[in-house]
Amino acid sequence: MFLIDRRQMLALAAWSAAASKAYAQAPMHPQERELYEAAKREGEITWYTGQYSADASEAAGRAFNERYPGVRCNVVRSTSQVAFQRLSQDFRAGVGQCDVFSSTNGGHYIQLKRQNRLVRFRPVNADGLLPILRTPDPDNFFQSSFLGIYLMGHNTNLVSEAEAPKSWTDVLDPKWKDKLAVGHPGFSGAIGLWALQMRTMFGPDYLRRFERNKPQVGRSSIDPVTMMTAGERSVGVAVPSASTLFAASRGNPLKLIYPTEGVIAALSPSAIPTNAPHPNAAKLFQEFQTGPALSTAVRLLFNESIRPDVPPPEGSRPLDQVTMLAPTLEQAERGVPEVREQWREIFGV
Amino acid sequence: MSASARPARFRLLEPVMLLWVALVAALLVLVAAPLVKMLLISFEMQDTGEFTFENYLTAYGRQRYIDALRNSLMLGALSAAISTVIAVPMAWAVSRTDMPGKGFTWAMVLAAFIMPPYLGAIGWILLAGPNSGWINVTWRALTGATDPLVNVYTFTGMAFVIALHSFPLVFIFVKSALDLISSEMEDAANILGGGTWTTMRRVTLPLVWPSILGGFILIFLETIALFGTPAIIGIPARINVVTTQLWQFFEDPVRVEVAAAYAIPLLLITVAMIGVQKLLLSRKGFVSQTGKGGERRQVKLGPWRWVLFGWCLLVGLLAVIKPLTVLLQASFAKAWGRGFSLDNLTLRNYRFLLFEHDVAPQATWNTVWFSAASATMAIVLALLVAYIVVRRLMRFADVLGFIAMAPFVIPGIVMAIGFYAAYAGPPLSLYGSALLIILAFTARFLPIAYANSQAAIRAVHPEMEEAARILGSGRLHAILRITAPLLKTSLLGGWLVVFIVASRELSAAIFLVGPRTRTMSVLLYDLSEQGNFEVVSAFGGILLVITMVIVGIGMKLVGRDFMLRRE
């Protein structure tokens, strides 16, 4: 759990969109400029990502292209487990295609680091991140690029706020049978973290009891947002706050639920694989992700800013007022594959 | 080797011999090598390469994995059965009766064929989701019922959706067989006292039994190779099938060896099915072409012709009109769940794809040129092989024909894993390259091209070529100036069919694409992961428009029934 103090929060609120824009166009520091010159010779960078939604990933890619003309960002967006699967296939085939790898499942980085598959690099901009995100790896093989909040949401036409579940264990109540929707830990990294956290907090029986309510299983953690929007299911479990707020902003009857125990926080890094075909562009992209330009681009689509100098998105609860639950990266490395297998035994898919 | 021996040897080497060698090499690369490689690695330890049975034990060591295999077989059988029930009456009606609306029926069959199955699946989620699907919403509003009328997230729901986009294959097979039966056989039955229905049941349909069975088997094989529909409908419905299970073996750590071991029995099942087909058809005669002319009259159905038309209309509604309508609505909607209203209309989804999405335009281009390249390669290869086989230019020519047809009985996903095993890694390291995808598509659809070319060449009597050769033309010259022009139309038809099936191909592509070589179908799959159906629908719409433009051009050049020319 981490806290920003009130004074910092007030300072954040004072930021206007214009100020953010100025930050996105902020002059490059020497290391960044040097990398940019080298990256221009490489011309492009390929980004495997499962962190931000498709819209926000594309927005981030465009923000990169605007800030660094002459270096093109290829956005390859999928769920995190699928992105990792593609990276593993690349390694297995001995073909380097990915320059920067971004997954919501932090365990991936522990594994890649142990396999000596990551490049050691610390972007200068990382010093300006939120304190808890500044040093995810003391050896600097990976750097923070994403802070995702996963909680519950409900369709306000189908379930009133009073009736809606309040805690993670409320959804085990049989009255929610056929009303829930959730992603899949075999595809979504965040759902892997969520399932692991639930197992840790409530014991191994949690998933089995959850299954009895026959939740609709999608692939991405964002899928339940669609199911709620459509009215197919009334409550989404472990949905990302950003996509839910984004859907609500388009006029859909959705509302967030902050579970009493706390929200799942994916504090997720990005890293450069050793077989990256454009190593300088990859480093430049890490500077971009840790710098203000990324946070400025994605906050417009309701994602959390990962820097104190870029204000948080509108409509989400300030981070200092929520309890954040998260397995450590080491727990995730071992635990997520385990819980994924357990999930498949219970759910059949 | 002495200098004088050389020319003598070369004199024995006819150019056609060189061609033969080149074709053998091409077929080895495309068909034989991936399969052999897959068979080999299924017995290899991952790291050491030692011989082992371990992969088979892992692949079949769990109930869940065996269930997936059983589910696939049942799904294949059910989808094929539904397709047959849908298509046979339609084919009979269009081929042999005076049913009205034949043009409309044709258009519906063609549209159902062009529509990628995963797009149809998304359309049907919007239609038959138990709570939000339009059909169920309407049903509840009309009757006040609380239970849904239809639920797409079930085994039968999934089989039905697959059948709605597979039945055109049965239709094409059966109709072309029916077109060849002369009315004399039916007349004979009538004279002996059989009515229209008895005749159809006892005489006409049994005569086309091989085509029905052939169509059934093809759909069975296509269904067990499908990846998109099981991922989109099967996961929420909690139905694991072979393809989604194979996908799991590609999770980290990538276990290609286990995937190969898991896929090999599919080949055995396929071989068994072909065996059963042979057995069922043996010792019976299906000769409908006697060479004694015979006219073909339309059966007069009276009022029943409207019943049959109703059936075709219903199929058209379910397979094309309804899913297309909801997909179109979703593609222009801010939120599809909010229905048809003016304030829900937006162009945002199209704008996002065309102007804001990094790879959507590139994926579109990839799809067009990969499909065109593989269609061209498949047709050229098939034409050469078919020419050698039909004209019996070489000994062992039939072997070539056999290899060219082999992918017909290999589920597409098995083919893809073979390609991954053989060419993705060192020494070639083709993983993610355009070449690998084009080769895989070429191999996968070679049988369609081959069947097409073979039929086309058979139809050209050798006399015409011989005449040219007597007048002093070389073989190549004769082919170029005489045979090729005669074949142009039917080859273009075959090219179109391969182009269409390649443009919607997902199950092979998903294992082979890289970041720069994603096709529209793979991107659609990635987009559908988030359940963002508005954008997915818009992208599907773009894919359909592109395909329709190309089919439209093709129909101008070839004629409306180009799909039929393969028989």
Side-chain angles (χ1 to χ4, degrees):
Chain A
M1 184 176 147
F2 110 96
L3 298 166
I4 313 181
D5 63 43
R6 300 268 159 191
R7 201 167 48 84
Q8 237 175 331
M9 258 349 274
L10 284 172
L12 289 188
W15 279 98
S16 68
S20 314
K21 190 141 181 84
Y23 244 108
Q25 290 158 350
M28 296 179 206
H29 52 71
Q31 175 168 324
E32 196 177 352
R33 182 159 293 284
E34 205 175 295
L35 285 171
Y36 177 39
E37 290 308 319
K40 267 199 272 192
R41 287 190 289 278
E42 292 168 352
E44 60 179 350
I45 171 252
T46 298
W47 180 30
Y48 284 17
T49 179
Q51 291 179 344
Y52 295 100
S53 68
D55 303 71
S57 301
E58 297 295 338
R62 283 197 306 279
F64 178 85
N65 294 343
E66 272 165 32
R67 185 169 167 83
Y68 307 103
V71 192
R72 217 183 95 84
C73 175
N74 307 311
V75 183
V76 184
R77 205 280 163 190
S78 61
T79 46
S80 292
Q81 303 286 17
V82 173
F84 187 52
Q85 181 172 341
R86 290 196 175 138
L87 184 68
S88 304
Q89 270 175 267
D90 291 357
F91 270 112
R92 160 97 202 214
V95 179
Q97 311 197 81
C98 165
D99 293 308
V100 174
F101 170 68
S102 301
S103 158
T104 47
N105 178 359
H108 290 154
Y109 299 93
I110 302 292
Q111 182 183 337
L112 289 167
K113 181 183 169 186
R114 203 185 49 244
Q115 294 167 335
N116 294 319
R117 285 179 167 177
L118 297 181
V119 172
R120 188 197 294 262
F121 174 67
R122 179 161 181 93
V124 172
N125 282 334
D127 295 336
L129 292 172
L130 291 171
I132 50 156
L133 296 175
R134 243 170 239 171
T135 326
D137 176 30
D139 302 323
N140 280 318
F141 282 101
F142 45 86
Q143 305 294 336
S144 301
S145 56
F146 176 72
L147 199 172
I149 299 296
Y150 296 82
L151 29 58
M152 293 195 280
H154 65 112
N155 180 319
T156 49
N157 291 344
L158 299 172
V159 174
S160 73
E161 210 165 340
E163 287 173 296
K166 305 282 180 292
S167 78
W168 292 113
T169 47
D170 281 358
V171 293
L172 302 180
D173 190 314
K175 77 173 177 187
W176 295 111
K177 188 157 188 288
D178 295 329
K179 294 195 167 20
L180 308 172
V182 71
H184 191 302
F187 294 86
S188 163
I191 297 299
L193 295 182
W194 168 77
L196 180 60
Q197 186 65 31
M198 293 300 111
R199 198 181 69 168
T200 314
M201 282 164 54
F202 307 113
D205 211 31
Y206 183 91
L207 288 180
R208 212 170 286 283
R209 286 171 62 198
F210 181 62
E211 192 274 335
R212 276 187 217 134
N213 277 341
K214 303 290 166 208
Q216 168 130 336
V217 181
R219 282 169 284 158
S220 165
S221 61
I222 304 171
D223 187 72
V225 178
T226 309
M227 289 300 144
M228 285 192 290
T229 307
E232 185 57 53
R233 297 286 169 138
S234 43
V235 173
V237 180
V239 292
S241 64
S243 299
T244 315
L245 290 170
F246 177 60
S249 78
R250 292 174 81 179
N252 295 301
L254 298 183
K255 213 163 160 59
L256 291 175
I257 304 167
Y258 285 84
T260 47
E261 299 93 336
V263 299
I264 304 296
L267 310 174
S268 311
S270 291
I272 305 169
T274 46
N275 62 358
H278 312 105
N280 292 302
K283 287 177 179 167
L284 181 66
F285 196 77
Q286 288 289 65
E287 288 285 3
F288 164 77
Q289 289 210 93
T290 47
L294 173 89
S295 289
T296 306
V298 296
R299 79 172 277 280
L300 297 174
L301 290 157
F302 302 92
N303 289 280
E304 296 296 335
S305 156
I306 57 173
R307 290 176 63 94
D309 52 9
V310 177
E314 283 165 31
S316 75
R317 201 177 280 186
L319 292 175
D320 65 339
Q321 292 168 29
V322 294
T323 310
M324 298 208 250
L325 311 165
T328 66
L329 301 183
E330 288 75 15
Q331 286 165 342
E333 189 210 356
R334 205 185 54 254
V336 171
E338 265 174 34
V339 84
R340 179 178 71 192
E341 193 55 29
Q342 193 190 3
W343 174 287
R344 288 202 165 120
E345 288 298 328
I346 295 172
F347 284 78
V349 285
Chain B
M1 192 190 291
S2 72
S4 60
R6 256 187 179 170
R9 241 182 233 179
F10 270 120
R11 231 170 286 142
L12 290 173
L13 262 177
E14 267 191 76
V16 68
M17 179 73 181
L18 290 174
L19 181 65
W20 193 86
V21 172
L23 286 178
V24 169
L27 291 175
L28 280 179
V29 167
L30 284 174
V31 183
L35 288 179
V36 170
K37 176 76 180 171
M38 190 174 75
L39 188 67
L40 287 180
I41 66 160
S42 77
F43 292 107
E44 276 176 16
M45 296 274 264
Q46 172 151 10
D47 296 322
T48 60
E50 281 171 62
F51 179 86
T52 178
F53 284 110
E54 193 72 29
N55 299 319
Y56 285 86
L57 294 179
T58 314
Y60 287 93
R62 275 184 198 219
Q63 189 57 40
R64 203 173 78 227
Y65 303 168
I66 298 170
D67 288 347
L69 182 63
R70 200 197 56 213
N71 285 341
S72 268
L73 299 181
M74 278 165 50
L75 189 68
L78 189 57
S79 300
I82 299 175
S83 301
T84 310
V85 171
I86 291 176
V88 171
M90 290 175 82
W92 183 71
V94 171
S95 172
R96 309 211 56 91
T97 73
D98 61 347
M99 183 191 77
K102 286 185 185 175
F104 166 83
T105 307
W106 251 121
M108 288 299 117
V109 172
L110 183 62
F113 182 62
I114 290 173
M115 185 125 120
Y118 42 85
L119 213 54
I122 291 169
W124 271 91
I125 288 177
L126 306 185
L127 282 170
N131 297 313
S132 59
W134 298 119
I135 294 177
N136 290 318
V137 169
T138 314
W139 167 253
R140 286 199 181 92
L142 290 178
T143 63
T146 50
D147 286 336
L149 178 68
V150 282
N151 183 357
V152 69
Y153 297 116
T154 54
F155 198 85
T156 41
M158 185 153 80
F160 185 69
V161 171
I162 293 172
L164 283 178
H165 295 281
S166 318
F167 81 88
L169 289 168
V170 181
F171 179 92
I172 292 164
F173 273 49
V174 175
K175 180 180 177 293
S176 44
L178 283 170
D179 283 347
L180 295 173
I181 299 175
S182 68
S183 298
E184 287 158 8
M185 310 220 191
E186 286 165 349
D187 292 344
N190 287 334
I191 290 165
L192 292 170
T196 305
W197 297 111
T198 320
T199 308
M200 179 198 64
R201 229 181 54 241
R202 303 285 299 271
V203 177
T204 319
L205 284 187
L207 273 172
V208 295
W209 175 228
S211 304
I212 298 177
L213 205 58
F216 182 96
I217 290 179
L218 184 58
I219 290 181
F220 177 87
L221 293 172
E222 284 293 312
T223 303
I224 57 177
L226 269 189
F227 180 75
T229 312
I232 292 167
I233 296 181
I235 289 174
R238 315 252 187 106
I239 301 163
N240 196 22
V241 297
V242 164
T243 43
T244 43
Q245 184 56 49
L246 280 170
W247 177 250
Q248 289 175 27
F249 291 134
F250 272 75
E251 277 171 3
D252 183 81
V254 182
R255 292 180 288 174
V256 188
E257 293 79 9
V258 178
Y262 191 65
I264 293 283
L266 281 186
L267 276 185
L268 301 180
I269 289 166
T270 311
V271 171
M273 286 197 67
I274 304 292
V276 170
Q277 183 192 22
K278 279 235 155 69
L279 212 67
L280 283 176
L281 300 182
S282 66
R283 288 182 288 120
K284 285 183 191 151
F286 297 96
V287 179
S288 53
Q289 278 180 298
T290 52
K292 288 180 190 152
E295 54 162 345
R296 285 186 275 278
R297 270 173 288 106
Q298 294 185 337
V299 177
K300 298 244 182 308
L301 288 174
W304 282 100
R305 68 187 201 272
W306 293 104
V307 176
L308 267 181
F309 178 67
W311 177 252
C312 295
L313 187 66
L314 179 70
V315 173
L317 265 180
L318 295 180
V320 179
I321 296 171
K322 279 184 160 200
L324 215 52
T325 311
V326 288
L327 285 170
L328 208 61
Q329 183 265 340
S331 77
F332 286 107
K334 287 180 189 150
W336 61 272
R338 278 171 34 205
F340 299 83
S341 68
L342 274 181
D343 69 327
N344 194 21
L345 278 179
T346 177
L347 285 172
R348 187 194 165 277
N349 306 314
Y350 286 95
R351 202 186 61 216
F352 174 67
L353 285 166
L354 294 174
F355 303 111
E356 295 172 13
H357 199 281
D358 175 42
V359 285
Q362 198 197 354
T364 311
W365 169 239
N366 283 348
T367 295
V368 172
W369 92 265
F370 291 174
S371 307
S374 36
T376 310
M377 277 175 64
I379 289 289
V380 169
L381 201 58
L383 181 66
L384 294 173
V385 174
Y387 187 79
I388 290 180
V389 172
V390 173
R391 293 282 188 270
R392 310 210 160 275
L393 294 185
M394 300 292 308
R395 274 196 291 172
F396 308 116
D398 287 340
V399 177
L400 284 183
F402 176 78
I403 303 178
M405 280 307 277
F408 178 77
V409 299
I410 302 166
I413 196 113
V414 176
M415 202 80 189
I417 290 175
F419 263 84
Y420 184 91
Y423 301 126
L428 295 177
S429 292
L430 289 181
Y431 178 61
S433 66
L435 180 64
L436 183 63
I437 296 163
I438 292 170
L439 288 180
F441 283 6
T442 306
R444 175 129 158 69
F445 303 120
L446 190 59
I448 298 178
Y450 181 70
N452 179 77
S453 307
Q454 204 187 18
I457 291 180
R458 280 225 177 94
V460 179
H461 200 283
E463 278 172 2
M464 287 184 267
E465 266 171 51
E466 282 156 12
R469 297 200 66 186
I470 289 167
L471 293 171
S473 159
R475 184 179 289 281
L476 196 66
H477 187 253
I479 292 177
L480 282 178
R481 300 299 296 273
I482 310 282
T483 319
L486 287 168
L487 295 176
K488 210 168 55 192
T489 320
S490 47
L491 289 184
L492 198 57
W495 190 93
L496 273 177
V497 176
V498 176
F499 180 90
I500 294 171
V501 290
S503 70
R504 47 182 251 189
E505 166 64 30
L506 174 66
S507 52
I510 194 94
F511 289 99
L512 303 174
V513 295
R516 305 306 302 272
T517 50
R518 285 190 292 172
T519 61
M520 290 183 88
S521 52
V522 173
L523 200 57
L524 270 166
Y525 171 78
D526 280 348
L527 286 169
S528 77
E529 277 187 339
Q530 294 187 19
N532 191 345
F533 293 140
E534 294 89 0
V535 173
V536 174
S537 304
F539 203 34
I542 297 174
L543 175 62
L544 284 180
V545 168
I546 291 173
T547 324
M548 264 162 2
V549 166
I550 287 168
V551 169
I553 295 170
M555 290 207 298
K556 266 259 176 318
L557 296 172
V558 192
R560 199 176 66 185
D561 53 347
F562 67 88
M563 279 159 60
L564 269 178
R565 294 190 185 256
R566 47 206 277 211
E567 286 299 313

